[in-house]
């Protein structure tokens, strides 16, 4: 593997739990590593407690993010805030370009760029959800947050397909028996889903949202354009989440058959492109902090071993 002078041994794009966990392992092994992050990951904004991060009970996302960063920096990892807009080259000398004209070089790459989530829109604008997402009672991921609705009246807000929203509501009925579904866009429910909703006494409402009614960061009701007010104690959004695959695609990394995530070649996070690994939500699996950390860690171990093998082999 040839490599450019002054280059990093590894550049990690994405400084969420996957990228920072990878940085921690590589930093511990004295690798020259740079983490580039534009700080739009969910944990930067998550003020509610996360209950399922092993060893870290009741941790707030924002605090976890800060701890990971501090640990990585203490191990010598360089972390910068920047937006990577393009990547080219090959193993030994990948070239990354930032939106402000920066250029970085690396022997190996880890892409941990996460997913983009779709929020329900309020008069066509998705931004009103930011006030509540990750801050109170507006949830997105049943794997992480379904137990939060125990004993609470819950409104599932469908912002993707109607069948997906119905599936989420039916799945959530394990945790609560007062659930309704609001279909804001697609309304085409299959007969099978309609029958299952009816059997579980889950009412379906259709309509576009005109207002999110809340007190500080707690959502209290969703107001529809026809004036209907749907109150609930908890709200769950059903919407697509698409991996930020742009850089992976530029490098020719294989994309999963769903078209939404970067496909690793094995559970180690290696890809079809030599020298490129993927980790975290960018991979096709559930979105969860512990999974992001685990996949970030395994990728970093593999990268370190790969670099060591190249070092042992010599120039
Ligand atoms: C509201 C909400 C609540 C959640 N609650 C829980 C929970 O309770 N428990 C749980 O386990 N999980 C929870 N999750 C999921 C968890 O946050 C994610 O699974 C986890 O953050 C994924 O980590 P990641 O490192 O793969 O990606 P991310 O955390 O998304 O980090 C990716 C980073 O890459 C950066 N990036 C992307 N592209 C570029 C680029 N081109 N240049 C530079 N930087 C770039 C982004 O800005 C971002 O900071 C929740 C998610 C949300 C949205």
């Amino acid at each position: 593997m040839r490599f450019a002078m002054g280059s990093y041994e590894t550049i990690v794009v994405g400084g969420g739990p996957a990228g920072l966990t990878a940085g921690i392992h590589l930093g511990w092994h004295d690798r020259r590593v740079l983490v580039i992050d534009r700080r739009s990951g969910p944990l930067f904004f998550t003020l509610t407690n996360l209950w399922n991060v092993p060893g870290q009970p009741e941790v707030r996302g924002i605090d976890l993010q800060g701890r990971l960063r501090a640990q990585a920096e203490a191990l010598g990892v360089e972390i910068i805030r920047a937006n990577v807009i393009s990547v080219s080259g090959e193993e030994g000398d990948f070239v990354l370009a930032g939106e402000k004209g920066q250029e970085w070089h690396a022997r190996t790459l880890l892409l941990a760029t996460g997913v983009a989530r779709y929020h329900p829109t309020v008069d066509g604008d998705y931004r009103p959800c930011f006030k509540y997402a990750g801050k109170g009672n507006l949830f997105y991921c049943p794997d992480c947050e379904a137990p939060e609705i125990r004993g609470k009246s819950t409104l599932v807000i469908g912002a993707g397909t109607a069948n997906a929203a119905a599936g989420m509501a039916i799945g959530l009925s394990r945790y609560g028996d007062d659930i309704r579904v609001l279909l804001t866009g697609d309304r085409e429910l299959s007969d099978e889903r309609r029958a299952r909703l009816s059997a579980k006494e889950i009412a379906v409402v259709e309509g576009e949202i005109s207002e999110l009614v809340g007190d500080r960061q707690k959502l209290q009701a969703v107001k529809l354009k026809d004036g209907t007010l749907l109150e609930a104690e908890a709200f769950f959004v059903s919407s697509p989440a698409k991996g930020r695959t742009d850089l992976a695609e530029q490098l020719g990394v294989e994309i999963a058959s769903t078209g939404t995530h970067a496909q690793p070649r094995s559970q180690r996070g290696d890809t079809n492109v030599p020298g490129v690994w993927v980790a975290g939500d960018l991979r096709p699996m559930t979105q969860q902090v512990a999974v992001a950390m685990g996949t970030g860690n395994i990728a970093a171990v593999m990268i370190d071993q790969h670099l060591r093998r190249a070092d042992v082999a010599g120039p």
Side-chain angles (χ1 to χ4, degrees), residues 92-169:
D93 189 19
F94 290 109
V95 186
L96 290 83
E99 76 175 340
K100 293 188 177 157
Q102 312 98 311
E103 185 175 293
W104 304 275
H105 292 255
R107 289 168 69 182
T108 58
L109 274 187
L110 173 61
L111 302 178
T113 44
V115 290
R117 275 165 199 279
Y118 293 83
H119 299 275
T121 54
V122 178
D123 272 335
D125 185 359
Y126 60 89
R127 289 171 301 179
C129 287
F130 292 171
K131 187 173 167 192
Y132 304 103
K135 297 179 184 67
N137 57 348
L138 178 62
F139 306 115
Y140 287 75
C141 167
D143 288 339
C144 304
E145 298 164 312
E148 299 261 14
I149 72 159
R150 282 191 189 115
K152 294 178 185 155
S153 59
T154 302
L155 180 70
V156 172
I157 306 171
T161 70
N163 282 334
M168 177 181 267

Side-chain angles (χ1 to χ4, degrees), residues 136-291:
N137 57 348
L138 178 62
F139 306 115
Y140 287 75
C141 167
D143 288 339
C144 304
E145 298 164 312
E148 299 261 14
I149 72 159
R150 282 191 189 115
K152 294 178 185 155
S153 59
T154 302
L155 180 70
V156 172
I157 306 171
T161 70
N163 282 334
M168 177 181 267
I170 294 163
L172 287 174
S173 65
R174 253 195 86 224
Y175 305 89
D177 55 11
D178 182 2
I179 298 179
R180 284 167 297 165
V181 182
L182 166 66
L183 302 178
T184 64
D186 177 39
R187 318 245 164 121
E188 295 294 315
L189 277 173
S190 69
D191 292 343
E192 184 267 337
R193 284 283 151 97
R194 206 174 275 284
R196 295 272 295 130
L197 287 169
S198 162
K200 295 218 166 249
E201 298 181 358
I202 298 173
V204 179
V205 186
E206 297 180 357
E208 288 175 53
I209 301 173
S210 64
E211 189 184 343
L212 297 179
V213 182
D215 179 18
R216 296 198 189 126
Q217 291 164 337
K218 191 158 183 220
L219 189 56
Q220 293 169 322
V222 168
K223 193 169 182 187
L224 303 186
K225 283 194 172 159
D226 66 4
T228 307
L229 194 66
L230 299 170
E231 292 177 293
E233 292 164 291
F235 298 81
F236 242 102
V237 173
S238 167
S239 69
K242 180 174 179 328
R244 297 195 189 94
T245 54
D246 47 336
L247 300 177
E249 288 178 55
Q250 289 176 24
L251 287 162
V253 171
E254 196 186 329
I255 300 301
S257 55
T258 52
T260 53
H261 293 79
Q263 183 67 57
R265 203 174 54 169
S266 80
Q267 290 306 330
R268 298 167 176 185
D270 53 330
T271 67
N272 58 307
V273 179
V276 179
W277 281 257
V278 292
D281 283 3
L282 181 63
R283 293 177 49 158
M285 53 170 66
T286 188
Q287 287 121 45
Q288 204 165 78
V289 167
V291 174

